[in-house]
Amino acid sequence: EIVLTQSPATLSLSPGERATLSCRASQSVSSYLAWYQQKPGQAPRLLIYDASNRATGIPARFSGSGSGTDFTLTISSLEPEDFAVYYCQQRSHWPPFTFGPGTKVDIK
Amino acid sequence: EVQLVESGGGLVQPGGSLRLSCAASGFTFNIYSVNWVRQAPGKGLEWVSYISSSGTTIYYAGSVKGRFTISRDNAKNSLFLQMNSLRVEDTAVYYCARDEAVAGLFDNWGQGTLVTVSS
């Protein structure tokens, strides 16, 4: 089973700042990595798929990069609605599909 | 508009059973594979089970294998999860999640249904 680790666990930033979130896989997942955003009381929402492709309707301030074992989600300039928990997830080696433990982006 | 609406959650005692449903609308259900994903209170996301578009291919997480059964009724645009021998650690919000063009890319999610296993 592929284990995903995310860092940091919590990121405290102000609106307008740049957020950089990391996801590392225990073995190569090629580019088969996705990022999801989850707000309190809501279902997760797909942001990025295949490491760097924005899902439908996702603003351009969200970008993803990486391949193999190291991936990054960048939010270029935080909007108030971006404060949430972000999960990475791999679909390279399955079952099972696995998620990282999440990074919480909160308001500084 | 794609919609996935879960139902069937509730309070059940350890060792009990529950059947979850997910009603799909706004898309051609029978050409998409679907999954159940759960989230324990205050915790992260855990994939539970996958079923292919035709229902012929099924996978489970090790934590539920032998206790949970996924199924679908394409004529009724519905997904199900039969949960038996429930444990306290199965307490979670259960989401149904549609796969986009490929397995494991969860492009649409329901709002979730809460299952609480407690005596």
Side-chain angles (χ1 to χ4, degrees):
Chain A
E1 173 175 328
I2 292 182
V3 177
L4 299 178
T5 55
Q6 291 186 243
S7 60
T10 303
L11 194 54
S12 297
L13 294 168
S14 300
E17 289 193 296
R18 182 183 189 91
T20 303
L21 288 66
S22 176
C23 177
R24 177 164 289 179
S26 58
Q27 66 186 84
S28 176
V29 298
S30 186
S31 294
Y32 299 124
L33 187 106
W35 291 92
Y36 298 84
Q37 176 193 65
Q38 187 179 34
K39 298 178 182 179
Q42 296 186 16
R45 177 175 70 145
L46 177 66
L47 295 178
I48 301 288
Y49 65 94
D50 292 351
S52 61
N53 297 288
R54 276 189 301 277
T56 303
I58 302 304
R61 65 181 181 272
F62 291 92
S63 64
S65 63
S67 66
T69 60
D70 291 295
F71 299 87
T72 300
L73 173 69
T74 301
I75 311 171
S76 59
S77 179
L78 283 163
E79 297 288 340
E81 62 267 28
D82 299 337
F83 292 92
V85 180
Y86 294 84
Y87 295 94
C88 58
Q89 175 249 328
Q90 68 83 24
R91 62 179 183 85
S92 176
H93 300 284
W94 68 283
F97 302 115
T98 52
F99 292 88
T103 289
K104 182 179 182 180
V105 179
D106 66 14
I107 300 176
K108 188 173 181 180
Chain B
E1 178 194 4
V2 172
Q3 280 204 317
L4 298 165
V5 180
E6 301 92 338
S7 60
L11 175 63
V12 60
Q13 291 188 337
S17 298
L18 213 54
R19 188 187 195 217
L20 305 184
S21 300
C22 174
S25 61
F27 65 101
T28 305
F29 182 68
N30 63 13
I31 65 171
Y32 287 88
S33 53
V34 279
N35 303 263
W36 289 99
V37 177
R38 68 184 180 183
Q39 186 170 36
K43 303 297 184 182
L45 301 167
E46 180 190 17
W47 170 80
V48 172
S49 185
Y50 161 95
I51 187 166
S52 62
S53 57
S54 63
T56 54
T57 301
I58 286 172
Y59 296 109
Y60 298 98
S63 57
V64 306
K65 198 169 187 177
R67 301 187 298 121
F68 290 11
T69 302
I70 191 172
S71 62
R72 64 190 295 163
D73 184 340
N74 284 343
K76 295 183 177 180
N77 293 338
S78 295
L79 173 70
F80 305 101
L81 187 67
Q82 177 66 43
M83 304 186 295
N84 298 330
S85 302
L86 281 161
R87 305 168 179 167
V88 170
E89 55 265 33
D90 295 319
T91 295
V93 173
Y94 285 73
Y95 297 101
C96 60
R98 188 186 80 166
D99 280 332
E100 215 249 7
V102 293
L105 188 56
F106 311 128
D107 70 335
N108 280 274
W109 299 63
Q111 86 289 348
T113 187
L114 176 62
V115 172
T116 304
V117 185
S118 175
S119 55

